[in-house]
Amino acid sequence: MLTSRTFLKRTRAGAVVKVVREHYLRDDIPCGADACPLCPVRPGQPLGLEARPSGAASSLCPGPHYLLPDTNLLLHQIDILEDPVIKNVIVLQTVLQEVRSRSAPVYKRIRDVIGNPEKHFYSFTNEHHRETYIQQEQGESSNDRNDRAIRVAVKWYSEHLKKIQNEENEDIQVIFLTNDRNNKEKALEEGITAYTCEEYIKSLIDNPDLVDRLACVSDEGKEIESGKIIFPEHIPLSKLQQGIKSGIYLQGTYRASRENYLEATVWVHGDAEENKEIIIQGLKHLNRAVHEDIVAVELLAKDEWVAPSSVVLQDDGQNEDDIEMEEEKENILKASVNKNMLRPTGKVVGIIKRNWRPFCGMLSKSQIKEARRHLFIPADRSIPRIRIETRQADKLEGQRIIVAIDGWPRNSRYPNGHFVKNLGSAGDKETETEVLLLEHDVPHQPFSQNVLSFLPKMPWSITEKDMKYREDLRHLYVCSVDPPGCTDIDDALHCREIENGNLEVGVHIADVSHFIRPGNALDEESARRGTTVYLCEKRIDMVPELLSSNLCSLRSNVDRLAFSCIWEMNQKAEILKTRFTKSIINSKASLTYAEAQMRIDSAAMNDDITVSLRGLNKLAKILKKKRIDNGALTLSSPEVRFHMDSETHDPIDLQTKELRETNSMVEEFMLLANVSVAQKIYDEFPEFALLRKHPAPPPSNYDILVKAAKSKNLEIKTDSAKALAESLDKAESPDFPYLNTLLRILTTRCMMQAVYFCSGMDSDFHHYGLASPIYTHFTSPIRRYADIIVHRLLAVAIGADSTYPELTDKHKLADLCKNLNYRHKMAQYAQRASVAFHTQLFFKTKGVVNEDAYILFVRRNAVVVLIPKYGLEGTVFFEEKDKPTPKLDYNSEVCFVKFIL
């Protein structure tokens, strides 16, 4: 059956065109109930609903029943629907379409649930079923039409299921779940069995704890408000958009401070340099925004501008509605304003887009006996405390749990939320690892069977077809140099003298793109993950282990497929020729940095691999000097390495990483290969090259560095990367040998994030830190998806592979870069969090340890210190609980003072 709708539409050019929309209706769409005799069996379509519905026993609906939720219930109560107890749910096409347009994360979650055969969820295509499709009536809103369509589908199911009975001759009921009061009233008037989510969940006889997972929203899905108003009202979205257009408000990303819970910054979107970063201070001005929300801000008058706070304030309130304490702390903020540091200041007037996610943390149990309301303290200090209701407080105390925010009413000091999941005991290694992976949004589920199905079948070997566009380089003395225990070996090197007296130098990179073809499930999953994440005792792979540690890994003494960048150089490390080729190599040695260094330094060793390493090392020193002379920066960060107990995997020793000449040797050739490939793919694809840039920091970023150097009577010049590099080289103090390292650590903090971008979407390609006009990532495709795309571009450029539509779509490449930048940033944070946790484990059994520490930053009530030996950074407060407040003279110029911790 076919229905159609005709309407007139005006085009951009002003012409009027007639549009006919056809809508096909069918009568062969099954209801989804297993073994339903009335519905046609459609081969290949899984039937979700059980013939005899299992699931939780309900006092409201003691008989067998299916559940059918409306859109708002699915959007707000997805945590309930995901619980293993809830089974046999009908999800209408109308509901799915609305959810898809309103919340992509919830849509993905409900699709995953529908795809889980153990849950028995069924997606019913009601909009194309002849008996359940309805047209919008005149004067009826889209929302009301959809509500009516849902009720029509519930009634059809009720009538349809009456015609079939289960084995006990019981009728199967359809229960309509809605939190919309009007929709529920209309359903009851039409003879439909309808309950709110809360009514149904509270009726589950054997699952009282499920009540904790109910989202704290009213019948209409709005925040529940009562009591004293604390915050200003948010301006409606339509007015915000008008205000942003007219310039009254500014739109930006809200970034909460981790040091001061009463302060945040908003990074304004757009190209305007003026007022790029706006400070927000004080509870009412923060106005219920949460870290990473997209907000609208109104600039305050200049006489109300403030300076970045010089105090460390942590939220330690137990009474969530104690506003007097907040006012006291805000007075501390106002008293500590430095008039010379005033910045554009504003207030949040509305929320454009919430970016809430499930948060990990711990329950702070209420002091009131038998209280159900408790505060949840997130692991991430930039997230406010969350008020939840739970009957399991005794059980959840001391556990790491997940909580979701439901809303933030104007009368509540903290947002309302609900309990989602218990992860395990705080301090437990497995639990804490799960927390840091979830907190940093690291995809870490096992690879699905669908993804694994695209791996090569074992045993695998190189075929004639594989060799078609390849050069056989197995005769070369190629070797890899990596950290100890490395199994995902991306790169290998060789250097040899050729007949004309010049040197041939090769960087050989694992040919991952040979195994991961565009568009399949393995490719999509690798793109989603974006990068491998290295934790202290485990690795979260971007690609399955068969590739990462076996077929792609350039292990010694096995044939491997590679992508080679080969230069002819003279003895001065000047490049005379460059060529790229797909190749086959056989690495002659897999060395650690220490082993390679030992070979270079040993006069007794003169084999081919050692000679190759010495040639590489000699050239690398020349290349490094050239880079530094051009203005490349040599920065520093306090990195540590753990030695693990082989049985317990607990850290038994901790030391700062030792860098050898061989570390620098490998780095120089990886940088050179990346620059060479960047130029090649840009020459071939000026609009579609995936490149990497490092923006120059704004001058204000260097304020802390310049101030720190000045406190030691040193001058740091920041007008160019070269000037900065040269002044850092001169910043030495004979009586303070660690000073230069501290300054370089501080310089690292001043830098902007390096990012991937599509060449056709940007004009500034410069990499500030490397002082290179163009750069990309080519050398680590096992652990970075960006490199796989670069390999594909290079393969097309040299005629070794064919292109595909997405590779030459700059908008899709720009979207891909956005995800890759996010994944790389989260991976860095996850790695740091893993080091911090293992450092805590290391000191757990050590008792009191005295070590040298250096002050990095001075605050009014605390100092931020670094312990170089352990790479440990922390805040030391001057005030201690129940002890008299010390008399202090604050001088923000003091820095890098050495003291014993």
Side-chain angles (χ1 to χ4, degrees):
M1 183 178 167
L2 175 71
T3 68
S4 64
R5 190 158 66 92
T6 306
F7 58 93
L8 300 176
K9 181 183 174 185
R10 189 179 294 277
T11 67
R12 285 183 180 179
V16 176
V17 293
K18 183 179 177 182
V19 179
V20 178
R21 250 193 208 142
E22 294 180 338
H23 191 92
Y24 288 87
L25 301 177
R26 309 173 62 136
D27 53 13
D28 63 345
I29 297 171
C31 68
D34 192 23
C36 171
L38 305 175
C39 291
V41 176
R42 295 178 68 184
Q45 180 172 343
L47 296 176
L49 305 166
E50 292 176 297
R52 187 180 180 187
S54 64
S58 164
S59 58
L60 284 175
C61 328
H65 58 273
Y66 300 138
L67 301 175
L68 196 155
D70 72 357
T71 306
N72 276 333
L73 190 133
L74 201 152
L75 281 166
H76 295 292
Q77 307 292 353
I78 183 68
D79 289 320
I80 289 283
L81 295 173
E82 285 178 327
D83 194 279
V85 165
I86 305 299
K87 296 181 178 180
N88 292 291
V89 175
I90 300 159
V91 183
L92 299 180
Q93 180 189 1
T94 307
V95 171
L96 270 180
Q97 285 172 341
E98 281 196 284
V99 169
R100 187 177 190 172
S101 67
R102 289 168 63 181
S103 174
V106 174
Y107 178 73
K108 185 187 181 303
R109 287 169 71 181
I110 194 63
R111 292 299 322 183
D112 288 345
V113 175
I114 292 167
N116 180 356
E118 293 176 9
K119 290 282 285 172
H120 301 288
F121 275 49
Y122 179 67
S123 175
F124 178 61
T125 318
N126 65 306
E127 295 290 355
H128 289 278
H129 194 290
R130 190 162 50 83
E131 293 182 41
T132 57
Y133 171 73
I134 61 164
Q135 289 196 336
Q136 191 169 349
E137 294 174 351
Q138 199 167 356
E140 185 178 38
S141 70
S142 297
N143 190 51
D144 288 344
R145 181 263 168 205
N146 287 345
D147 284 348
R148 185 162 61 88
I150 294 167
R151 295 195 301 273
V152 166
V154 177
K155 281 196 281 187
W156 178 83
Y157 259 104
S158 297
E159 293 301 317
H160 181 78
L161 294 174
K162 279 177 186 172
K163 299 171 189 172
I164 59 171
Q165 294 179 322
N166 65 13
E167 291 171 11
E168 279 74 32
N169 292 321
E170 295 175 290
D171 285 343
I172 299 174
Q173 267 189 299
V174 175
I175 308 298
F176 178 39
L177 294 182
T178 178
N179 283 345
D180 185 322
R181 191 185 293 114
N182 292 336
N183 206 8
K184 185 186 171 191
E185 284 171 4
K186 285 179 182 174
L188 293 171
E189 285 169 13
E190 293 170 17
I192 295 169
T193 306
Y195 299 110
T196 65
C197 191
E198 188 174 353
E199 287 170 340
Y200 180 76
I201 296 303
K202 284 184 174 177
S203 79
L204 301 182
I205 299 160
D206 300 323
N207 306 91
D209 290 348
L210 200 53
V211 172
D212 287 358
R213 300 188 73 176
L214 282 167
C216 183
V217 288
S218 68
D219 289 346
E220 278 74 40
K222 294 174 184 169
E223 298 161 357
I224 300 165
E225 290 191 358
S226 62
K228 184 185 172 186
I229 301 298
I230 300 169
F231 296 100
E233 193 172 354
H234 285 149
I235 294 170
L237 188 58
S238 56
K239 287 188 178 176
L240 287 179
Q241 287 166 337
Q242 289 171 11
I244 291 163
K245 209 172 181 180
S246 63
I248 299 170
Y249 308 130
L250 296 166
Q251 176 178 321
T253 304
Y254 179 91
R255 305 262 169 84
S257 167
R258 292 171 63 83
E259 285 195 347
N260 183 344
Y261 75 101
L262 291 174
E263 183 172 278
T265 53
V266 171
W267 285 82
V268 177
H269 301 167
D271 300 325
E273 286 302 314
E274 196 183 357
N275 301 333
K276 192 75 179 166
E277 185 184 5
I278 296 171
I279 292 177
I280 316 287
Q281 266 187 15
L283 206 59
K284 289 181 181 175
H285 285 174
L286 297 174
N287 198 7
R288 297 170 287 155
V290 176
H291 188 61
E292 294 293 343
D293 282 350
I294 309 297
V295 299
V297 172
E298 183 180 349
L299 265 181
L300 300 178
K302 281 199 173 183
D303 60 358
E304 295 181 72
W305 285 10
V306 298
S309 156
S310 56
V311 292
V312 179
L313 287 180
Q314 293 179 352
D315 189 356
D316 50 12
Q318 275 300 315
N319 179 1
E320 60 264 34
D321 296 316
D322 186 0
I323 298 305
E324 287 177 17
M325 188 191 291
E326 309 303 345
E327 289 170 356
E328 206 176 289
K329 288 185 176 179
E330 285 186 29
N331 289 334
I332 297 171
L333 276 184
K334 287 170 188 169
S336 63
V337 172
N338 182 340
K339 302 290 183 190
N340 300 321
M341 300 279 287
L342 297 182
R343 300 274 171 84
T345 307
K347 61 181 179 181
V348 174
V349 293
I351 308 294
I352 291 161
K353 184 175 179 258
R354 289 289 193 191
N355 274 322
W356 294 342
R357 58 177 175 82
F359 300 104
C360 301
M362 294 182 72
L363 194 71
S364 174
K365 198 177 157 192
S366 172
Q367 303 302 311
I368 303 166
K369 202 177 178 185
E370 294 183 18
R372 282 194 187 173
R373 283 189 166 192
H374 307 273
L375 282 178
F376 164 80
I377 303 170
D380 183 348
R381 289 205 309 273
S382 54
I383 304 299
R385 295 178 172 208
I386 302 166
R387 181 171 59 185
I388 68 167
E389 284 192 31
T390 177
R391 307 168 181 213
Q392 309 175 64
D394 290 336
K395 193 165 83 177
L396 296 179
E397 201 171 14
Q399 302 288 297
R400 288 287 193 183
I401 63 174
I402 299 177
V403 161
I405 297 179
D406 301 321
W408 196 339
R410 292 171 62 201
N411 67 303
S412 175
R413 168 64 188 87
Y414 298 111
N416 294 327
H418 64 271
F419 166 74
V420 174
K421 187 180 180 183
N422 184 357
L423 295 172
S425 300
D428 173 74
K429 205 185 321 176
E430 289 299 316
T431 302
E432 296 298 341
T433 300
E434 180 72 6
V435 166
L436 74 86
L437 291 172
L438 289 169
E439 275 298 290
H440 298 100
D441 195 17
V442 175
H444 59 287
Q445 301 76 15
F447 290 97
S448 69
Q449 284 306 311
N450 188 26
V451 168
L452 297 176
S453 69
F454 287 94
L455 291 173
K457 302 294 178 277
M458 297 300 286
W460 173 85
S461 61
I462 296 168
T463 64
E464 282 297 317
K465 188 183 173 188
D466 295 334
M467 290 298 297
K468 193 174 178 184
Y469 297 105
R470 289 183 190 277
E471 200 172 322
D472 191 340
L473 303 178
R474 284 175 286 192
H475 61 285
L476 294 176
Y477 283 89
V478 170
C479 70
S480 61
V481 184
D482 291 284
C486 179
T487 60
D488 54 343
I489 303 170
D490 281 292
D491 54 88
L493 299 149
H494 89 271
C495 175
R496 64 172 181 165
E497 191 169 320
I498 52 180
E499 290 173 3
N500 61 8
N502 289 331
L503 298 170
E504 179 190 86
V505 178
V507 166
H508 311 277
I509 305 300
D511 190 4
V512 183
S513 62
H514 173 84
F515 297 95
I516 301 180
R517 302 308 295 163
N520 65 26
L522 175 57
D523 182 46
E524 287 172 358
E525 180 62 16
S526 304
R528 185 177 79 88
R529 294 185 177 218
T531 182
T532 293
V533 181
Y534 294 90
L535 306 181
C536 291
E537 57 167 321
K538 69 192 291 188
R539 189 178 79 204
I540 312 297
D541 280 326
M542 180 185 81
V543 299
E545 193 176 14
L546 178 65
L547 296 182
S548 66
S549 294
N550 187 350
L551 301 185
C552 291
S553 184
L554 304 181
R555 301 186 300 186
S556 55
N557 303 313
V558 288
D559 291 350
R560 286 290 177 258
L561 301 179
F563 211 149
S564 300
C565 173
I566 300 170
W567 303 279
E568 184 180 330
M569 291 182 175
N570 60 24
Q571 300 292 340
K572 295 177 183 176
E574 292 166 341
I575 297 171
L576 307 173
K577 287 180 190 171
T578 306
R579 67 188 183 91
F580 307 98
T581 180
K582 290 249 182 175
S583 60
I584 176 169
I585 66 166
N586 187 300
S587 172
K588 303 299 184 280
S590 298
L591 306 172
T592 65
Y593 290 116
E595 288 167 346
Q597 191 68 53
M598 185 196 72
R599 279 174 173 261
I600 290 169
D601 296 341
S602 171
M605 298 190 77
N606 288 294
D607 58 278
D608 290 312
I609 287 292
T610 304
V611 170
S612 175
L613 285 168
R614 286 186 185 129
L616 289 165
N617 196 39
K618 181 185 170 189
L619 292 170
K621 288 176 181 177
I622 301 169
L623 289 169
K624 185 172 184 177
K625 186 179 184 305
K626 283 182 186 174
R627 275 197 316 108
I628 290 169
D629 289 346
N630 284 338
L633 297 173
T634 306
L635 302 180
S636 184
S637 61
E639 291 188 77
V640 295
R641 179 176 294 284
F642 294 94
H643 295 283
M644 301 291 188
D645 185 289
S646 57
E647 290 181 12
T648 65
H649 297 288
D650 285 338
I652 51 174
D653 192 18
L654 180 155
Q655 61 191 53
T656 50
K657 286 185 183 176
E658 185 185 348
L659 295 179
R660 298 175 170 86
E661 274 185 5
T662 44
N663 291 77
S664 179
M665 176 190 80
V666 172
E667 183 187 13
E668 286 308 316
F669 285 106
M670 296 307 111
L671 293 175
L672 191 63
N674 288 334
V675 170
S676 296
V677 171
Q679 194 61 58
K680 178 68 177 176
I681 62 171
Y682 178 64
D683 289 344
E684 288 288 331
F685 303 103
E687 289 290 301
F688 317 117
L690 192 155
L691 302 175
R692 187 165 175 82
K693 68 173 180 176
H694 182 213
S700 59
N701 277 31
Y702 289 121
D703 289 350
I704 53 167
L705 173 67
V706 172
K707 190 198 291 184
K710 196 176 174 184
S711 73
K712 298 295 175 190
N713 298 315
L714 295 169
E715 185 187 9
I716 297 288
K717 292 179 180 176
T718 61
D719 43 324
S720 71
K722 188 168 173 61
L724 176 61
E726 286 172 354
S727 52
L728 281 171
D729 287 342
K730 293 173 188 170
E732 299 280 357
S733 175
D735 54 344
F736 191 172
Y738 196 68
L739 176 65
N740 192 264
T741 305
L742 280 174
L743 287 170
R744 291 183 192 276
I745 289 169
L746 215 49
T747 307
T748 307
R749 312 285 171 92
C750 302
M751 292 296 122
M752 305 290 283
Q753 188 91 22
V755 289
Y756 296 111
F757 67 101
C758 173
S759 58
M761 305 288 278
D762 210 321
S763 56
D764 177 19
F765 296 2
H766 190 72
H767 196 294
Y768 180 81
L770 296 174
S772 177
I774 194 165
Y775 192 67
T776 193
H777 272 163
F778 162 75
T779 54
S780 296
I782 294 177
R783 61 185 177 90
R784 292 189 304 232
Y785 188 77
D787 302 52
I788 293 178
I789 296 293
V790 169
H791 276 226
R792 289 174 182 169
L793 287 164
L794 184 61
V796 176
I798 65 169
D801 206 343
S802 53
T803 186
Y804 58 98
E806 286 78 11
L807 195 64
T808 53
D809 184 328
K810 61 185 181 183
H811 296 287
K812 286 191 176 171
L813 272 175
D815 288 341
L816 175 66
C817 288
K818 191 177 176 184
N819 178 58
L820 295 180
N821 291 330
Y822 170 71
R823 292 293 180 205
H824 276 258
K825 183 173 71 173
M826 289 294 108
Q828 282 181 333
Y829 293 163
Q831 284 156 209
R832 287 175 201 163
S834 179
V835 169
F837 172 63
H838 280 79
T839 306
Q840 285 177 347
L841 280 183
F842 175 72
F843 283 112
K844 208 173 183 180
T845 55
K846 290 283 180 283
V848 177
V849 179
N850 291 327
E851 285 296 342
D852 287 351
Y854 296 93
I855 294 174
L856 285 180
F857 309 109
V858 179
R859 304 287 183 248
R860 281 186 180 272
N861 61 337
V863 285
V864 180
V865 301
L866 172 73
I867 307 170
K869 183 175 178 181
Y870 301 118
L872 198 60
E873 190 179 315
T875 305
V876 179
F877 288 92
F878 300 132
E879 296 177 28
E880 289 184 69
K881 219 172 186 181
D882 305 323
K883 288 192 178 179
T885 306
K887 286 186 178 179
L888 299 166
D889 233 351
Y890 173 63
N891 181 357
S892 64
E893 306 298 319
V894 175
C895 205
F896 296 165
V897 178
K898 182 176 172 181
F899 67 107
I900 302 295
L901 272 183

